[in-house]
Amino acid sequence: MRAFLAAAGASSTILLGALVVPEPTVRADQEDPFPHAEHQGLFPLCTGCHEGIPSGDQSDWYPEPESCDGCHDGVEREVVRWNGPTDRVDNVVFDHVEHEEERDEAGDPPGVCADCHVAPGGGRMEVAEDLQVATCWSCHAHERDEHYAPDAGCETCHVPLASTRFGRERIEGLPEPTSHDADDFILEAHGALAPGNTDACATCHTRETCVSCHVSPDLDEIQAVPEAPASMDLPTVEAEYPEPSSHLAEDWLEGHQEDAAVAECSTCHTQNDCRTCHVSSLPELVAALPTRAQARAPGVMLESQSPDSHASLFFMQAHSVLASTDQATCSTCHVDRFCVSCHEGAVGEGYHPPNFMVRHAADAYGRDSECSNCHQQAAFCRECHTDLGLAGRRQATAGYHDGAQLWLLRHGQAARQNLESCASCHRQVDCTRCHSVLGAFQVSPHSSDFDAERAWAQSPRTCLACHVGNPTNGTVP
């Protein structure tokens, strides 16, 4: 049996044992009620005017307004203007015909109109403005101590909110179950209740309520809640995104991709959230998330934040070690221009410590830093060295090399140890002036155990920098 419950949004309540039941109110726009008591001698039966009620014919629920003219003709009785009742706006499921059929099946005597439309103790035609809900409860006792229990089967007595003609004020006045007051209701409870109780959710909510927070509306539970018609004036719902306990772990940020799944992440996050950190090589999961423009909900709207490792006071000094061992991790958040902003800073500023230029030679020669990561040595270094008079101007003299008079006799060892340092000032032609079959001295740069055939097989072009042909066919200078 579909019990007749009061419409939500009551202004007062009546008590039935331990159960609190809402007492319906007459809507503000309802016309003055018909004076039934003044007409009781004229209409011995309710069906005299409401003939369509027992048959279920809604077109004949009320008499035609013209039928009043027989008495209210302006002579015998004053003229009345009545255009018929306005339909009561509620969310109650009730059918008079079905109700009587079920009473018959249960062996109950036929119901009379006064049972629900007349207050207890009133006369037959003393029709009350409000329905007598207590009468319904005399047979249809609620199985729950709390009327608004989330799993109380609301759909038994109520239609979905989307099927009503409730206005904004009526919707905002719908009662809230005590289960909604729990601290973890948004975060945990409502997700656990929804799968088996979407009909109950739909009694007070439309799909728009769900998608105001849920970025992805593809969940079966959300699709099961009817969407409101375009004409319905819905209250604004502010999105709430409480942080799950899993996100509070100290190492969550570093390992969050391991357990990530589109179905879970898309509840709160749009692709834009992930892009606040992931700037390149987007993971497949991120690419599968809807963008903020594609979703009705705003999503969490994250702002980028640094990992815990970046909080160290000495991170700038130590970050090169992390970058060199796992550059792919750095590129998750940083693009090249971020690094360049420091690593190509002005002289004496940015990446290098103060007065670095005064002592950079030792660091460069010892390769404490990889200069070529930021600098094109053949141009960047030579420009400065030449301006300062520290560069050899293609002369075989001591020049920049500490003023050592015998530098040329021992420069070979330095070249083998750090040829990159030589290339910062010298071009290949500087070397071939001596180290070439056509050079002035034809000095061989090769050690006594040098394997010419192997070198030629690996890179003939390298050999031809000094030789005019295949050196293995003749004398190797």
Side-chain angles (χ1 to χ4, degrees):
M1 166 60 198
R2 293 183 174 180
F4 184 93
L5 296 183
S11 60
S12 60
T13 56
I14 53 178
L15 228 70
L16 293 178
L19 179 64
V20 177
V21 182
E23 181 179 329
T25 58
V26 177
R27 66 194 186 291
D29 62 342
Q30 184 173 345
E31 69 284 341
D32 292 337
F34 180 79
H36 288 82
E38 296 179 14
H39 294 74
Q40 60 182 341
L42 185 62
F43 303 113
L45 299 176
C46 297
T47 53
C49 289
H50 306 290
E51 185 178 355
I53 296 294
S55 64
D57 183 4
Q58 294 190 20
S59 64
D60 203 18
W61 275 11
Y62 300 97
E64 294 293 333
E66 292 77 10
S67 62
C68 302
D69 295 343
C71 296
H72 297 278
D73 58 0
V75 178
E76 296 294 331
R77 296 284 188 276
E78 62 178 339
V79 176
V80 295
R81 294 289 180 262
W82 182 67
N83 297 320
T86 301
D87 290 340
R88 178 183 293 272
V89 178
D90 60 31
N91 64 347
V92 177
V93 174
F94 183 80
D95 184 275
H96 288 85
V97 176
E98 181 181 344
H99 184 266
E100 286 306 303
E101 289 176 351
E102 293 185 358
R103 286 179 64 92
D104 290 341
E105 293 176 1
D108 297 330
V112 295
C113 302
D115 291 343
C116 296
H117 294 280
V118 175
R124 179 182 65 83
M125 290 288 282
E126 294 179 6
V127 178
E129 294 184 15
D130 294 333
L131 295 168
Q132 304 305 299
V133 182
T135 304
C136 306
W137 286 105
S138 64
C139 295
H140 305 292
H142 207 290
E143 296 179 359
R144 297 283 180 178
D145 292 336
E146 181 189 354
H147 181 86
Y148 302 113
D151 56 346
C154 306
E155 68 280 3
T156 302
C157 304
H158 297 286
V159 298
L161 175 62
S163 300
T164 69
R165 290 180 285 114
F166 283 180
R168 176 188 288 261
E169 184 177 353
R170 187 72 175 272
I171 296 173
E172 291 176 339
L174 289 173
E176 184 175 289
T178 56
S179 60
H180 291 35
D181 297 331
D183 293 337
D184 65 342
F185 178 74
I186 295 295
L187 186 60
E188 301 289 346
H190 91 283
L193 289 171
N197 297 280
T198 51
D199 288 337
C201 299
T203 302
C204 299
H205 300 289
T206 64
R207 191 181 304 169
E208 284 76 7
T209 305
C210 306
V211 299
S212 64
C213 291
H214 286 265
V215 170
S216 175
D218 295 335
L219 292 175
D220 293 341
E221 293 80 6
I222 295 178
Q223 293 298 316
V225 178
E227 202 167 18
S231 59
M232 181 171 281
D233 184 16
L234 296 172
T236 301
V237 178
E238 296 293 336
E240 294 184 50
Y241 297 103
E243 191 169 11
S245 57
S246 60
H247 292 34
L248 302 178
E250 293 183 0
D251 59 345
W252 182 82
L253 190 61
E254 286 74 13
H256 73 282
Q257 295 188 57
E258 297 178 3
D259 298 325
V262 173
E264 295 181 3
C265 298
S266 63
T267 298
C268 305
H269 297 290
T270 64
Q271 190 178 117
N272 302 67
D273 291 334
C274 303
R275 285 183 177 272
T276 59
C277 292
H278 294 275
V279 297
S280 62
S281 302
L282 290 179
E284 292 184 7
L285 182 143
V286 175
L289 294 176
T291 64
R292 191 165 294 147
Q294 295 171 329
R296 297 191 196 179
V300 178
M301 302 183 72
L302 292 177
E303 296 181 359
S304 59
Q305 64 183 63
S306 301
D308 293 340
S309 60
H310 290 37
S312 169
L313 294 176
F314 304 102
F315 176 74
M316 289 303 295
Q317 287 75 17
H319 80 283
S320 59
V321 177
L322 296 174
S324 61
T325 56
D326 192 5
Q327 191 171 1
T329 299
C330 301
S331 63
T332 298
C333 303
H334 302 294
V335 294
D336 291 343
R337 63 177 178 272
F338 180 85
C339 305
V340 167
S341 64
C342 288
H343 287 270
E344 285 191 358
V347 175
E349 300 178 2
Y351 169 71
H352 298 299
N355 300 319
F356 175 74
M357 292 300 296
V358 177
R359 53 186 175 82
H360 79 285
D363 287 346
Y365 188 77
R367 301 186 71 174
D368 292 340
S369 299
E370 192 64 47
C371 303
S372 61
N373 283 346
C374 300
H375 304 294
Q376 207 286 324
Q377 292 170 294
F380 183 85
C381 302
R382 183 182 300 148
E383 180 182 358
C384 188
H385 286 196
T386 300
D387 291 343
L388 295 176
L390 299 176
R393 293 175 175 81
R394 301 188 62 185
Q395 299 176 2
T397 59
Y400 165 68
H401 304 291
D402 302 326
Q405 296 299 318
L406 300 177
W407 168 252
L408 286 176
L409 298 179
R410 54 189 178 85
H411 78 283
Q413 179 181 358
R416 292 188 182 93
Q417 290 177 336
N418 194 352
L419 188 60
E420 289 182 2
S421 182
C422 302
S424 65
C425 295
H426 298 287
R427 293 176 296 175
Q428 194 175 70
V429 67
D430 294 334
C431 303
T432 58
R433 290 168 57 192
C434 295
H435 299 287
S436 170
V437 293
L438 300 178
F441 301 102
Q442 298 184 2
V443 178
S444 174
H446 305 304
S447 60
S448 58
D449 59 348
F450 178 71
D451 189 339
E453 293 184 354
R454 180 180 179 186
W456 176 263
Q458 289 181 338
S459 179
R461 180 174 295 181
T462 302
C463 300
L464 293 176
C466 296
H467 298 278
V468 295
N470 186 345
T472 62
N473 295 334
T475 303
V476 179

